[in-house]
Amino acid sequence: MAGLIKTRTPGVYKAHRGKGTVFIARWREVDPATGKARVRDKSFPTEAAARQYRAGVEHAQATGTYVPPNVGKVTVAEVAEQWLAVQATRVRPRTLENYERGLRLRVLPTFGARRIDSITSRDVEKWVAELGPVMPGTIKHAIFPLSATLNYARKHGLIQSNPCEVVDRPKRLPTGREKREGHFLSRAQVAAVAAKCAETEPVYGLLVRFAAGTGLRRSEIAGLRVRDLRLARREVHVERMAERTYPGGMWVVQEPKSARSRRRVPILDDELLHDLGLYLAAHPRRANLDAPLWPAKFRSGPLSYDGDELWNAGSFYKHVFVPAVAAVGLPSDPHSGVRFHDLRHTCGSQWLADGHDMFSVSRWLGHHSIAFTDAVYAHVAKEPDYAAAIERTRRARAGS
């Protein structure tokens, strides 16, 4: 401790250097690699600053939040790469693709070269503001991989706290656009869109009616096999889903997105059931139960049932569905028009309008909870009829 002069504060010393007097905060820490104790110090221009820093170190060590100064010198890009490697073993390929895209396009250009321990909440707030007038969902998807990377860093002792946690997320729509609501089509509108799609390929008309009659997600439709159509039981078995990942364009076939997504969906419409029977009877690979139920098509080429390619929802939406929607006079704007997913909304709303209970509809749609179904479809549910319940209560009490 030669050259250091004790001050009234334990652990804080004064030293005379070439450029003047400095105050040094000194403390002991345990090397996480070796487990041995070592002495660390840091210089400050004033005694108050050194005292404050020393007190902060003591508090962090006492509460278990202490991070050695050199540990946080890794960059955001390095930690993000480690976090992505972990996520690759935990999430679906499409989800991982979205994480990687968010980091590459939004996070790393601003924070990639920065030290992980240098990111502040003000940095994040400024970055969010610079994203511009975008939808809240865009900000949510942009900030999630950054926040998850910082949480990973905190978990492994690289930083003490996650600055994203105190940043307010905008809830209003600065773009001037209204919040996008789902479209609920009438049976006549579904029939019109289906007929227009059938002009491209007759099977496409049936596919649109199937989507509006069963409420399956796009990836679930793509993953269907011949064996999954159980016409004798009037059911569709949802056992898997298929998604195309980018870059590379490889098909990934996997389990449904949740336990409740693995389900049996009734085919309640008699006409749809009849037409599916005709379709299955004419299916060129009906003898192979693992053959894809719906055909693939590449641009203007022929329909293919060989399974090397699957029904591509994105291509179908762009080249067949949207032109059909526009042709029958329905909204087709990219931001507010009818989407293929709206056939799922249409199915759920029609089931409820037909008098099916919310619990059954929630299970048939594969929602994670009935509360979610109620939040989306409550406005189309029928008003409850209590007459039968009142009569049962009267009979039960009269017999007691």
Side-chain angles (χ1 to χ4, degrees):
M1 296 178 61
L4 297 182
I5 304 171
K6 289 184 178 181
T7 66
R8 291 174 296 176
T9 304
V12 176
Y13 303 87
K14 181 168 66 172
H16 299 290
R17 301 284 171 80
K19 294 183 179 180
T21 301
V22 296
F23 293 86
I24 299 172
R26 174 165 286 190
W27 69 96
R28 288 182 178 273
E29 69 178 22
V30 176
D31 188 337
T34 64
K36 295 181 179 180
R38 61 186 179 188
V39 175
R40 300 297 299 269
D41 55 44
K42 186 176 178 66
S43 300
F44 297 89
T46 65
E47 182 178 352
R51 185 187 307 118
Q52 183 178 4
Y53 185 84
R54 180 69 170 76
V57 169
E58 284 185 333
H59 176 74
Q61 290 178 331
T63 57
T65 59
Y66 175 72
V67 178
N70 290 335
V71 170
K73 288 186 177 180
V74 294
T75 64
V76 172
E78 291 171 327
V79 179
E81 183 178 359
Q82 297 169 11
W83 173 72
L84 274 180
V86 173
Q87 296 309 303
T89 66
R90 299 178 178 176
V91 301
R92 299 182 183 279
R94 176 59 64 85
T95 303
L96 185 68
E97 179 186 328
N98 290 336
Y99 291 167
E100 187 277 332
R101 184 186 300 113
L103 286 168
R104 174 168 45 85
L105 299 180
R106 301 282 191 180
V107 177
L108 297 184
T110 300
F111 298 113
R114 294 271 300 273
R115 281 176 44 168
I116 193 75
D117 62 348
S118 72
I119 309 300
T120 66
S121 57
R122 289 184 179 180
D123 293 331
V124 179
E125 286 178 343
K126 179 182 177 183
W127 171 68
V128 169
E130 291 174 349
L131 290 177
V134 295
M135 300 290 280
T138 301
I139 294 177
K140 174 184 175 182
H141 290 299
I143 203 171
F144 174 79
L146 173 62
S147 181
T149 297
L150 293 170
N151 274 334
Y152 179 85
R154 178 172 59 181
K155 175 183 175 182
H156 292 278
L158 302 180
I159 56 177
Q160 293 185 21
S161 61
N162 181 353
C164 291
E165 292 180 349
V166 298
V167 174
D168 294 329
R169 318 290 174 90
K171 296 180 180 180
R172 59 186 179 87
L173 304 182
T175 59
R177 301 202 305 264
E178 295 295 325
K179 180 180 180 181
R180 183 168 193 162
E181 300 289 347
H183 290 271
F184 299 88
L185 307 184
S186 67
R187 287 185 172 87
Q189 289 172 327
V190 171
V193 174
K196 202 65 185 177
C197 290
E199 294 178 5
T200 304
E201 291 287 352
V203 67
Y204 286 162
L206 179 60
L207 191 151
V208 168
R209 290 167 52 211
F210 174 82
T214 61
L216 267 63
R217 303 175 177 93
R218 302 189 316 174
S219 58
E220 294 170 344
I221 294 175
L224 288 176
R225 300 160 295 181
V226 169
R227 70 166 68 248
D228 298 322
L229 192 59
R230 310 292 178 91
L231 297 181
R233 294 181 55 86
R234 301 187 67 131
E235 288 179 343
V236 180
H237 287 202
V238 180
E239 304 286 346
R240 64 179 199 165
M241 57 187 285
E243 293 181 310
R244 199 165 197 170
T245 61
Y246 295 95
M250 301 295 294
W251 283 100
V252 177
V253 179
Q254 56 202 333
E255 295 288 316
K257 63 183 295 187
S258 68
R260 294 200 177 216
S261 294
R262 193 184 187 100
R263 64 198 188 278
R264 297 180 180 184
V265 181
I267 303 172
L268 302 179
D269 183 87
D270 290 333
E271 184 178 354
L272 176 61
L273 179 70
H274 175 267
D275 291 346
L276 285 172
L278 296 178
Y279 170 70
L280 193 59
H283 195 291
R285 299 190 65 199
R286 60 187 177 277
N288 181 359
L289 297 181
D290 290 322
L293 180 62
W294 300 105
K297 182 180 176 68
F298 183 73
R299 295 183 181 176
S300 60
L303 298 176
S304 172
Y305 293 85
D306 59 17
D308 293 335
E309 282 290 325
L310 301 177
W311 174 70
N312 190 325
S315 177
F316 174 81
Y317 176 76
K318 178 180 180 181
H319 299 292
V320 180
F321 188 78
V322 170
V325 166
V328 300
L330 291 173
S332 58
D333 179 81
H335 298 298
S336 60
V338 176
R339 304 163 297 171
F340 187 85
H341 191 77
D342 288 325
L343 297 178
R344 176 171 164 84
H345 288 317
T346 295
C347 181
S349 64
Q350 289 184 350
W351 276 338
L352 289 169
D354 289 343
H356 300 289
D357 62 274
M358 189 73 71
F359 179 82
S360 296
V361 171
S362 181
R363 287 302 180 92
W364 296 343
L365 290 173
H367 286 161
H368 64 275
S369 72
I370 190 173
F372 178 81
T373 311
D374 182 68
V376 176
Y377 298 100
H379 65 289
V380 295
K382 285 189 173 181
E383 288 295 322
D385 182 0
Y386 298 118
I390 292 171
E391 185 59 31
R392 284 195 299 269
T393 301
R394 286 172 177 168
R395 288 199 303 267
R397 293 182 178 178
S400 58

